[in-house]
Amino acid sequence: MEELLRMEHISKRFGNFYANHDVNFSVAKGEVHTLLGENGAGKSTLMNILIGLYQPTEGKIFLNGQEVRIDSPSQAVKLGIGMVHQHFMLVPSLTVAENMVLGMVPKKSGLFIDAKKAVEITKEYSEKFNLHVDPDAKVMDIPVGMKQKVEILKALVRGARILILDEPTAVLTAQETEELFKELINLKKQGYTIIFISHKLNEIMQITDRMTILR
Ligand code: ADP
Ligand code: MG
């Protein structure tokens, strides 16, 4: 097993309350690793630390054996870490293609990705990863399963090699869940590492290589 990521002795305190207390978490390259725990166990908090939304009160993060500081979400993107949050972060009034490239080019530079290019990129990634989306549809008009695919593609187009999915099946039907599992296994075959957050043990056995239980 080749260790890709290690979070060591991580604590996160909000006021007097510890959302994470001395957590150790290690992920191997190319595995589907489930982070399992009841509601309130601290799963989302731990992953929000990994993507730089929160700073840990204590603890260290290592990527490929090197200690890293992840002090912003853009730093996490640079390190190849992407997350699909439980509550999607898409802009409903924009199209799938527009959401795909949103914020990717710094506005200051004056370089905008045009609409045609955005559609091209969306189609390219959609085909490459077998994640079917409609580039021209407005996000407000597409089903939740497709919104999730857009979120996954958004992370991939930004260069994520470690993909975190926060309770992705909570919003899906049984059939959509099956579809998602196939897509994730496909990503794994292409060398991606997946951290899959869940509080349901029964659903994850099908795709999980290893798991960490957070109490
Ligand atoms: P999980 O994702 O496992 O359900 P969370 O990481 O969301 O758990 O939350 C862990 C605990 O930390 C919960 O008790 C939650 O209320 C608390 N918590 C999470 N975020 C904050 C915050 N920003 N401020 C205060 N408490 C928080
Ligand atoms: Mg959560």
Side-chain angles (χ1 to χ4, degrees):
M1 174 194 116
E2 189 186 339
E3 187 182 73
L4 175 63
L5 165 78
R6 183 151 46 95
M7 299 180 81
E8 225 175 66
H9 300 299
I10 298 284
S11 292
K12 178 64 186 174
R13 191 157 48 82
F14 295 107
N16 290 322
F17 178 79
Y18 278 93
N20 292 143
H21 195 233
D22 198 17
V23 177
N24 292 294
F25 180 61
S26 163
V27 176
K29 191 165 196 270
E31 71 177 349
V32 176
H33 194 116
T34 295
L35 184 58
L36 189 73
E38 289 174 25
N39 278 325
K43 305 179 296 295
S44 298
T45 301
L46 189 69
M47 291 301 105
N48 283 330
I49 289 170
L50 189 55
I51 60 147
L53 269 179
Y54 293 150
Q55 290 306 302
T57 309
E58 274 170 67
K60 292 178 174 177
I61 302 172
F62 297 86
L63 256 185
N64 295 307
Q66 295 250 332
E67 188 176 352
V68 288
R69 269 191 68 88
I70 308 176
D71 43 25
S72 67
S74 61
Q75 182 62 20
V77 170
K78 273 186 206 146
L79 293 169
I81 305 170
M83 178 157 170
V84 177
H85 292 271
Q86 212 168 346
H87 303 286
F88 300 152
M89 309 247 185
L90 303 169
V91 181
S93 59
L94 297 181
T95 68
V96 166
E98 285 162 350
N99 270 279
M100 277 286 286
V101 300
L102 196 67
M104 269 180 68
V105 179
K107 287 198 177 102
K108 263 195 304 210
S109 74
L111 286 168
F112 290 94
I113 294 175
D114 64 50
K116 195 164 147 258
K117 184 80 185 158
V119 171
E120 272 170 28
I121 292 171
T122 305
K123 284 187 178 153
E124 182 197 327
Y125 274 77
S126 172
E127 277 163 32
K128 183 172 173 202
F129 296 106
N130 212 18
L131 286 155
H132 297 293
V133 298
D134 177 359
D136 299 309
K138 283 211 163 116
V139 162
M140 65 172 85
D141 297 328
I142 63 175
V144 66
M146 191 182 286
K147 285 181 192 158
Q148 187 174 63
K149 291 182 216 269
V150 177
E151 289 277 19
I152 295 171
L153 287 169
K154 264 190 83 165
L156 296 172
V157 82
R158 282 158 182 74
R161 298 293 304 168
I162 301 175
L163 185 66
I164 305 160
L165 297 139
D166 196 350
E167 308 218 17
T169 62
V171 295
L172 302 181
T173 63
Q175 196 194 329
E176 286 170 331
T177 299
E178 283 301 312
E179 216 178 298
L180 174 70
F181 285 0
K182 279 191 200 133
E183 291 155 2
L184 295 182
I185 287 163
N186 183 34
L187 279 172
K188 180 176 125 173
K189 282 190 186 138
Q190 297 196 42
Y192 288 82
T193 303
I194 292 155
I195 301 175
F196 187 99
I197 303 181
S198 174
H199 69 269
K200 293 181 250 170
L201 183 59
N202 58 355
E203 73 172 15
I204 54 133
M205 294 319 259
Q206 198 183 336
I207 53 155
T208 301
D209 294 307
R210 293 195 309 149
M211 71 170 132
T212 297
I213 300 173
L214 201 57
R215 282 189 295 167

